[in-house]
Amino acid sequence: MKKSLYSVSSLYIHIPYCGSKCSYCDFFSLPAAGVPDEYVKALLQQFDWFEALGLVAPLETVYFGGGTPSLLSCHQLKMIMNRLQGFLAENAEVTLEVNPESTSAELLETAKQCGINRISMGIQSLKDEVLSCVGRCCTAARTRQALQRLKESGLAFCTDFIAGLPGQELTKQAHDEFLADLEEVISYKPHHISLYSLTVAEGTRLYHQIEKGLIQWESEEADNQWILGRDCLEAAGYIQYEVSNFAPPGQESRHNSAYWKQKSYLGLGAGGAGSLYHKDSQGRILEGFRYTNTTHTQQYMDFWNGKPYDGATKPDLHQVVTQDVQWEELYKLLQTMIAEHEVLERETLSFEYIMLGLRMKEGLCGKEYFRRFEKKLDTATFNRFVQQGWMKIVDEAEGFCGYSMTKEGLLFLNQILQELL
């Protein structure tokens, strides 16, 4: 395994294909019955190039996201995991996103055999009328079957649930039914639950349906329902360790925590993103590089499989495998990918550190902020939020203050971040 100063221990693999696209979804995804072998080959070619650059450290976390990664055939899943085997750290967290309708016993058995140890299933609702309203292609009955299969599989599993989905009346009865469904999900004892308040993204099918008055929906009711769900999860022993994520102690998502803690990560696949941080020997962040692979799947496959695309071809591995790549050279090489990319200045990265840190229960460490960015947190501003009851001081060591959000303050996080900009 070739390593460099910029080796990364978290890997995201984007599988953009879906059986159908939900009406609220604004992620990059494409309707398809399966994943082309050519796409899997391209993923592995991009991984080979990252490995040749010395960017792949022992992988602490791997995350298959989408789209619907469970559309990968068992053979394709084995191909990818076989390639990663020599790079997985001991006790690596390897997560596969699935939808209920594609969670077969064969898939789960294959996942266990090839080193996947965590399954994340999108449920969203246990009401057929709600699922139908937002274009989900599974039924509540199939979701319950999939939950039981996961419970019996021996794999750690996580679920996603959404508060405020349309397709039900905006009444107390609807809130009670939502809580009953959430409590039913909890009864299967998932290791982790993500609870989101529905956000209607502009340009989605759901957005246009609401704009035209075809569907009734109110953001305030969605938020109220989310608060009920949060309280339900906490009563059941799920701790809110991040704005939308709940888990018993020790079951937090290590992969997502790498994002929130501003660690470098690599992204494979069309639409997959990655971030690399240039640090000095003291751990000070000097600059960042972020890229998002093209969302044109055929161009992505052509490029990484060595077919000429618009005058550009896949970089030659042999040009880099013997070199100890430095930041300036690495930056130039990464720009040759078929991807959008941007340089992240320290000012941008310091705000991102604050934004991401405030999302997490542990909050911001003032000493770590100073170590990374050579400046102190604006205590006057933060203390004002403390006085409002939206934040609390979590440490005051060596002249540095740290802050975390209160339960009430999390409800105003977006407003707080606007003031901090």
Side-chain angles (χ1 to χ4, degrees):
M1 183 186 302
K2 177 181 169 66
K3 294 182 66 176
S4 76
L5 292 170
Y6 308 104
S7 296
V8 175
S9 59
S10 289
L11 177 68
Y12 175 78
I13 302 173
H14 192 66
I15 308 297
Y17 303 97
C18 266
S20 65
K21 191 173 181 74
C22 300
S23 65
Y24 56 79
C25 179
D26 65 337
F27 293 117
F28 168 58
S29 62
L30 302 167
V35 181
D37 287 340
E38 186 183 6
Y39 185 80
V40 174
K41 180 183 176 183
L43 288 176
L44 298 179
Q45 290 290 324
Q46 188 178 20
F47 179 81
D48 287 348
W49 188 63
F50 285 146
E51 196 274 328
L53 285 172
L55 290 179
V56 185
L59 294 170
E60 299 286 345
T61 71
V62 177
Y63 195 101
F64 290 81
T68 306
S70 50
L71 286 182
L72 287 162
S73 69
C74 291
H75 173 69
Q76 290 171 334
L77 197 56
K78 288 177 182 177
M79 280 181 60
I80 297 172
M81 289 302 298
N82 285 344
R83 181 68 184 91
L84 299 183
Q85 281 305 323
F87 298 88
L88 294 177
E90 187 177 358
N91 299 320
E93 176 193 271
V94 186
T95 306
L96 177 72
E97 280 187 357
V98 302
N99 274 346
E101 66 275 10
S102 52
T103 308
S104 66
E106 181 186 13
L107 177 73
L108 295 181
E109 185 57 35
T110 298
K112 289 174 66 175
Q113 289 175 359
C114 65
I116 292 167
N117 50 26
R118 195 168 177 271
I119 303 295
S120 180
M121 184 165 72
I123 295 175
Q124 322 315 0
S125 175
L126 286 179
K127 288 282 180 292
D128 283 332
E129 59 271 26
V130 175
L131 295 169
S132 176
C133 183
V134 295
R136 299 281 292 173
C137 58
C138 65
T139 63
R142 292 184 71 178
T143 299
R144 291 183 174 97
Q145 291 171 358
L147 279 167
Q148 185 61 34
R149 193 173 288 133
L150 281 174
K151 183 179 179 180
E152 295 170 355
S153 71
L155 290 161
F157 73 99
C158 325
T159 61
D160 290 356
F161 219 69
I162 299 180
L165 286 171
Q168 54 190 350
E169 296 298 324
L170 304 175
T171 61
K172 181 181 183 303
Q173 179 183 349
H175 289 331
D176 290 344
E177 290 175 351
F178 166 80
L179 286 177
D181 288 347
L182 184 56
E183 287 168 353
E184 183 178 350
V185 170
I186 292 170
S187 73
Y188 289 93
K189 301 188 183 305
H191 298 75
H192 184 285
I193 297 178
S194 297
L195 177 65
Y196 304 101
S197 178
L198 178 65
T199 299
V200 180
E202 190 171 347
T204 60
R205 182 155 45 96
L206 180 59
Y207 173 85
H208 294 299
Q209 290 172 323
I210 293 172
E211 285 288 292
K212 293 176 182 177
L214 301 175
I215 288 179
Q216 183 186 16
W217 182 79
E218 293 180 12
S219 60
E220 186 176 344
E221 285 299 313
D223 292 341
N224 290 337
Q225 196 172 89
W226 180 87
I227 292 170
L228 293 173
R230 177 201 64 188
D231 294 345
C232 174
L233 288 169
E234 290 187 330
Y238 289 83
I239 295 172
Q240 185 185 18
Y241 72 96
E242 193 271 344
V243 172
S244 302
N245 289 275
F246 301 77
Q251 296 294 341
E252 300 88 351
S253 168
R254 288 160 52 196
H255 184 84
N256 287 339
S257 293
Y259 298 156
W260 300 324
K261 293 180 179 180
Q262 212 172 41
K263 295 181 179 180
S264 295
Y265 59 94
L266 297 172
L268 304 179
S275 292
L276 297 168
Y277 301 103
H278 181 203
K279 300 179 182 179
D280 66 12
S281 59
Q282 304 301 312
R284 292 180 292 230
I285 295 181
L286 306 177
E287 191 175 67
F289 176 87
R290 184 164 296 150
Y291 70 89
T292 303
N293 293 320
T294 178
T295 55
H296 193 300
T297 53
Q298 190 60 53
Q299 290 176 357
Y300 176 83
M301 291 186 285
D302 286 349
F303 180 82
W304 287 108
N305 289 330
K307 299 176 184 178
Y309 157 67
D310 196 23
T313 57
K314 181 183 71 174
D316 184 356
L317 296 180
H318 299 290
Q319 291 181 355
V320 295
V321 288
T322 61
Q323 300 174 10
D324 185 12
V325 180
Q326 300 301 306
W327 178 256
E328 293 76 13
E329 184 182 10
L330 178 62
Y331 170 72
K332 291 178 182 177
L333 287 165
L334 291 172
Q335 284 183 305
T336 67
M337 292 189 296
I338 179 171
E340 294 183 357
H341 45 78
E342 61 177 321
V343 174
L344 304 171
E345 304 294 342
R346 293 188 86 189
E347 192 66 27
T348 299
L349 292 171
S350 66
F351 178 73
E352 284 192 359
Y353 179 84
I354 292 172
M355 175 184 69
L356 295 168
L358 290 178
R359 291 183 63 88
M360 302 190 70
K361 181 179 181 178
E362 63 189 63
L364 299 171
C365 174
K367 187 175 181 180
E368 176 65 16
Y369 181 79
F370 182 80
R371 186 179 74 86
R372 293 189 185 203
F373 304 109
E374 300 177 280
K375 59 182 178 179
K376 289 189 174 184
L377 294 169
D378 180 1
T379 54
T381 300
F382 282 96
N383 286 337
R384 178 163 53 83
F385 293 129
V386 171
Q387 292 171 359
Q388 288 179 265
W390 290 357
M391 288 186 189
K392 59 185 177 181
I393 297 174
V394 290
D395 68 73
E396 285 186 277
E398 302 176 39
F400 297 96
C401 274
Y403 299 88
S404 67
M405 305 297 297
T406 63
K407 183 182 292 189
E408 180 187 2
L410 279 174
L411 303 176
F412 300 95
L413 180 57
N414 289 338
Q415 179 181 329
I416 290 169
L417 293 175
Q418 285 294 323
E419 292 191 41
L420 291 173
L421 270 174

